[in-house]
Amino acid sequence: MGRGIAIALLSGFAFAMSGPFGKPLLEAGWSPAGVVLVRIWIAALVTGVPMLLFARERLATLRRAPFTVLAYGLLAVVGVQLAYFNAIAHMSVTVALLIEFSAPLLVLVYLWARFGQRPTVRTVLGAALAVAGLVAVVGAASGGAVVTPVGLAWAFLSLVGLAAYFLLAEDGTKADAIDVASAQKPGVDQLALAVGGLFVGALVLSATSLAGITPVRVSTQSVVLGGLGTVPWWVPAVVIGAIATGLAYVAGILAINMVGPTLASFLGFSEVIASGVVAWLMLGEALTPVQIGGAVAIVAGVIAVKRGEQRGAREVAPRDVPASPHDGARTPPARTA
């Protein structure tokens, strides 16, 4: 469990690099679709080429669940990113973030409705505390909020995409049923799903760009990267591609299989905290006392959710019911090395 939490936090901190390193590209004339397309292709190549050379048997497992891989690429890779960028183009960043990061609540409701996993009181209280902390962190970042119907529609699409990111990662891999060596059992290798989803996302977005559906605009001019000064365009592009996308998705999918989608989704709030810290260090956007207090509330809420998940697992175990891959009683994850 501890290792899974550490990897989930690593994923959140990696995702947090997107804003501080992506913003300079937008200011240099890149379109949101251009940033997303470049970052996904870099991530797909950085993660896919090594697997193609040294772990082809992992990629072969993608044939076991092609629709899951397709859904992961469309919803968890392209959908969530494009929807968020389009949302902030029509409404305040604050509101868009609050809607998107309500995904953990959707995950809780989905698991309850589909698998009958009623959350414990401690889990619910922890979720409320974490969301309150999120509101404090994000809400203190700006003044008046602008909301439009179009912006709301895009924001809710990003919410669905983020929830799919947490749910499909576990549903697709079924960690307790994978045997990569024999290729006999159903399921997709964890790392292969991340790589496959990135390539699906890159190819789909490339196709829609060529068709003129998603306008892509990029620039090769140098960009101003906070305190680092002026740097070539490829510096932030490589960071958001290799780290904020490639590393983030790989670490995220491993963490979800270790701790389950519920806890992993709330640990994803670390991205908001890390974004504030990185923006503070790089762009000089200092954290306010309210944001610091909100960060503390998020941490406390995540701890409560973790304990609630563990308590729920203990209550289920005595009933001699097989452990579901969606609760705290996890089976050993798939081989990843």
Side-chain angles (χ1 to χ4, degrees):
M1 177 69 77
R3 184 183 177 187
I5 292 176
I7 295 177
L9 293 175
L10 173 63
S11 176
F13 274 70
F15 272 125
M17 308 294 281
S18 300
F21 282 88
K23 185 177 180 179
L25 293 175
L26 295 174
E27 293 176 343
W30 289 50
S31 66
V35 174
V36 174
L37 180 62
V38 170
R39 69 182 288 187
I40 294 178
W41 267 117
I42 291 176
L45 294 174
V46 167
T47 58
V49 172
M51 288 197 70
L52 186 62
L53 295 176
F54 305 109
R56 292 187 180 182
E57 70 279 1
R58 294 180 181 274
L59 293 177
T61 65
L62 294 175
R63 293 176 296 183
R64 301 173 185 171
F67 291 107
T68 297
V69 178
L70 180 62
Y72 187 83
L74 293 178
L75 295 175
V77 177
V78 173
V80 65
Q81 295 186 47
L82 273 183
Y84 171 71
F85 277 118
N86 278 284
I88 63 177
H90 295 89
M91 65 191 299
S92 297
V93 173
T94 303
V95 181
L97 273 177
L98 288 174
I99 293 176
E100 179 182 345
F101 276 86
S102 297
L105 301 179
L106 183 58
V107 170
L108 277 176
V109 173
Y110 173 82
L111 294 179
W112 186 0
R114 181 176 178 183
F115 301 102
Q117 294 180 21
R118 183 176 180 178
T120 64
V121 173
R122 183 171 292 180
T123 298
V124 173
L125 292 178
L129 181 59
V131 171
L134 175 67
V135 172
V137 172
V138 178
S142 65
V146 177
V147 179
T148 67
V150 175
L152 283 175
W154 281 113
F156 278 107
L157 284 176
S158 71
L159 160 66
V160 173
L162 187 57
Y165 163 75
F166 293 110
L167 293 169
L168 287 172
E170 188 175 54
D171 279 343
T173 57
K174 298 188 184 303
D176 56 335
I178 295 178
D179 187 349
V180 176
S182 65
Q184 296 291 323
K185 300 180 180 180
V188 178
D189 180 78
Q190 299 168 13
L191 299 182
L193 179 58
V195 173
L198 288 170
F199 270 103
V200 167
L203 291 172
V204 169
L205 187 55
S206 296
T208 58
S209 300
L210 292 175
I213 300 174
T214 51
V216 170
R217 185 175 63 256
V218 297
S219 173
T220 57
Q221 71 178 57
S222 299
V223 300
V224 179
L225 198 59
L228 298 179
T230 303
V231 298
W233 66 269
W234 55 264
V235 173
V238 168
V239 171
I240 64 175
I243 298 178
T245 308
L247 174 61
Y249 273 93
V250 169
I253 206 168
L254 293 177
I256 292 167
N257 277 269
M258 290 180 178
V259 303
T262 301
L263 180 56
S265 63
F266 282 96
L267 286 169
F269 283 172
S270 62
E271 178 184 346
V272 180
I273 301 174
S275 294
V277 174
V278 174
W280 177 26
L281 296 177
M282 285 191 54
L283 307 178
E285 299 177 0
L287 297 174
T288 67
V290 174
Q291 289 176 306
I292 295 175
V296 173
I298 289 175
V299 173
V302 169
I303 292 174
V305 169
K306 176 179 179 294
R307 291 183 176 178
E309 289 283 283
Q310 291 175 331
R311 181 176 180 180
R314 288 195 298 268
E315 292 176 351
V316 171
R319 302 176 185 175
D320 295 325
V321 177
S324 165
H326 301 280
D327 60 27
R330 301 289 298 153
T331 52
R335 285 195 304 150
T336 57

